Amino acid sequence: MIISRKIQQFIKLRSFIRATVIVLAALMLLLGCARSKMTIGVMVPLSGDAAAYGTSVQKGVQLAMETLNVKNVEVVFEDSVCDPKQANNAATKLITIDNVVAIIGELCSSATLAAAPIAEANGVVLLSPASTSPDITDAGDFIFRDVPSDAKQGVFAANLVYNDGNTSVAILFPNEDYGKGFSGVMDEAFTSLGGTTILESFNRGETDVRSQLTKIKRANPDAIFLISNSPDAASAAIRQIKELALTAKLYGSEGLKSDAIAQTPGAEGLIISSVSAGTPDFMARHEQKFGEVPGPFSAQGYDAFESIARAIEAGAKDANGIKNELYTLSFEGVSGTIDYDENGDISGGYELFIVQNGQFVPY
């Protein structure tokens, strides 16, 4: 009887241990799944004078998430206001609190360059879909972008203006990393072609550039090239060019490509160089989902998310793995060929548009 009771106790104990092991195994499995989920941060201006660009990129990322349907990946959006200090804070929050493995952003070069040292020091990928300052090339091993550098765009713009028959150009640019980088490269390239330049700068977001335009009018250049990533500032400059009756041929950077700019008084005939707006299929899917054509850098936002998604699907388990995979990637994205070089840059290309009857059409 005593032996029987001991056997029963042993059987109960064995059953309890077995159940405990099963429960612990299930918990470990659940914890493992939780740990395998990766978070990607998206740090773009969702308020301020560049909010239209940030919203455009946000939509591109959202469309990529829906289309690619990557498992165990979540996205956290932060408003970095196209401002260096805000970008610094947003990057710190995403890395230390949200534990992201990668950040898509920022759009403005000054903000990206402010966040780059934080991402680099923490070993987190920072991939910009819009920042073009040449300085980003040397910002660090974890710093990437899927738009070409202004080291290329400035040369392209110089050739565009000069080959259109203009031997003198006034370059009007914002006094920040983006504007200084672009204008510096364009100035050097245009003068090397045999042309002459006049450089005038304005503070970011400034909406009264009559003083600069008055100086430009006195110099009487053949052309004006407006560099801006602030729709308000660009619209104001175009209106004031018309008000002051400047007759120079008007050109601009990709940041001017929007319906609001095209419909600004004085914009008729404006020619811009721009990165790709996306493939016809991408544009159709974007319009179906959001009821509008893609805005500036939406296609680049899509490709930034796809780049990180492809790195994860290739086996990357952490930020360092994502970085290593990005350097080996090569695919045809919706914005063109994505093939990061040893500096995290892509070669890219440009499209030309002209404003006709209040809208941008291919030039």
Side-chain angles (χ1 to χ4, degrees):
M1 205 60 179
I2 294 174
I3 294 173
S4 175
R5 202 178 300 118
K6 285 184 177 181
I7 291 172
Q8 288 176 351
Q9 290 174 344
F10 174 75
I11 292 171
K12 287 180 180 178
L13 179 61
R14 188 174 63 180
S15 298
F16 173 75
I17 292 171
R18 184 181 299 160
T20 302
V21 169
I22 291 170
V23 169
L24 288 172
L27 284 171
M28 289 177 68
L29 182 62
L30 287 171
L31 287 170
C33 290
R35 277 194 292 265
S36 69
K37 179 167 277 194
M38 294 187 184
T39 304
I40 299 171
V42 180
M43 180 178 74
V44 293
L46 298 174
S47 63
D49 64 347
Y53 303 139
T55 302
S56 177
V57 169
Q58 183 182 44
K59 288 176 179 176
V61 171
Q62 289 170 336
L63 184 57
M65 291 168 59
E66 180 182 286
T67 304
L68 302 173
N69 192 28
V70 184
K71 304 298 182 186
N72 292 324
V73 170
E74 62 181 6
V75 173
V76 177
F77 289 94
E78 284 292 324
D79 181 8
S80 42
V81 202
C82 196
D83 176 78
K85 183 176 180 181
Q86 294 294 334
N88 187 309
N89 293 340
T92 300
K93 185 258 184 186
L94 287 168
I95 291 169
T96 61
I97 296 176
D98 297 305
N99 298 312
V100 300
V101 292
I103 299 172
I104 296 171
E106 225 262 6
L107 307 191
C108 298
S109 293
S110 295
T112 297
L113 287 166
I118 299 167
E120 188 71 18
N122 286 277
V124 172
V125 166
L126 179 67
L127 200 170
S128 174
S131 296
T132 55
S133 168
D135 292 341
I136 292 169
T137 294
D138 300 316
D141 290 340
F142 283 84
I143 314 304
F144 297 79
R145 56 179 159 189
D146 63 358
V147 287
S149 166
D150 283 332
K152 297 172 182 175
Q153 188 173 10
V155 173
F156 182 90
N159 280 278
L160 165 66
V161 175
Y162 191 83
N163 291 336
D164 260 1
N166 305 290
T167 58
S168 58
V169 61
I171 305 172
L172 184 61
F173 65 96
N175 189 24
E176 58 179 348
D177 289 297
Y178 164 60
K180 290 186 286 190
F182 194 144
S183 62
V185 173
M186 184 176 176
D187 175 33
E188 182 178 349
F190 196 82
T191 53
S192 72
L193 291 169
T196 58
T197 60
I198 305 131
L199 275 71
E200 288 290 336
S201 67
F202 58 91
N203 293 325
R204 174 173 176 76
E206 187 176 347
T207 56
D208 186 351
V209 291
R210 290 179 181 85
S211 174
Q212 295 92 325
L213 290 174
T214 299
K215 293 178 188 176
I216 290 172
K217 185 173 183 178
R218 283 199 295 265
N220 193 31
D222 297 329
I224 297 173
F225 196 99
L226 174 59
I227 300 169
S228 180
N229 55 12
S230 165
D232 292 344
S235 292
I238 292 169
R239 285 195 304 271
Q240 289 157 27
I241 287 170
K242 179 178 173 66
E243 289 168 10
L244 293 172
L246 275 79
T247 58
K249 195 167 183 179
L250 185 58
Y251 298 82
S253 61
E254 75 281 345
L256 275 64
K257 190 175 182 292
S258 72
D259 290 341
I261 297 293
Q263 292 159 16
T264 298
E268 192 72 11
L270 165 66
I271 298 168
I272 66 161
S273 60
S274 175
V275 293
S276 173
T279 61
D281 174 68
F282 167 75
M283 296 179 79
R285 286 189 285 119
H286 189 285
E287 191 162 6
Q288 182 179 22
K289 180 173 177 61
F290 299 109
E292 61 185 18
V293 298
F297 309 113
S298 184
Q300 288 71 28
Y302 186 107
D303 284 343
F305 182 86
E306 182 167 357
S307 294
I308 297 167
R310 281 176 176 260
I312 292 170
E313 290 180 335
K317 306 253 188 261
D318 53 22
N320 193 63
I322 291 172
K323 177 204 72 172
N324 293 335
E325 289 293 341
L326 287 179
Y327 281 117
T328 69
L329 272 186
S330 181
F331 68 97
E332 288 302 315
V334 300
S335 68
T337 301
I338 304 298
D339 189 356
Y340 300 102
D341 66 16
E342 68 276 9
N343 297 310
D345 285 341
I346 66 166
S347 55
Y350 303 98
E351 299 172 348
L352 295 176
F353 296 88
I354 184 169
V355 176
Q356 290 182 349
N357 300 316
Q359 61 182 357
F360 280 106
V361 297
Y363 179 57

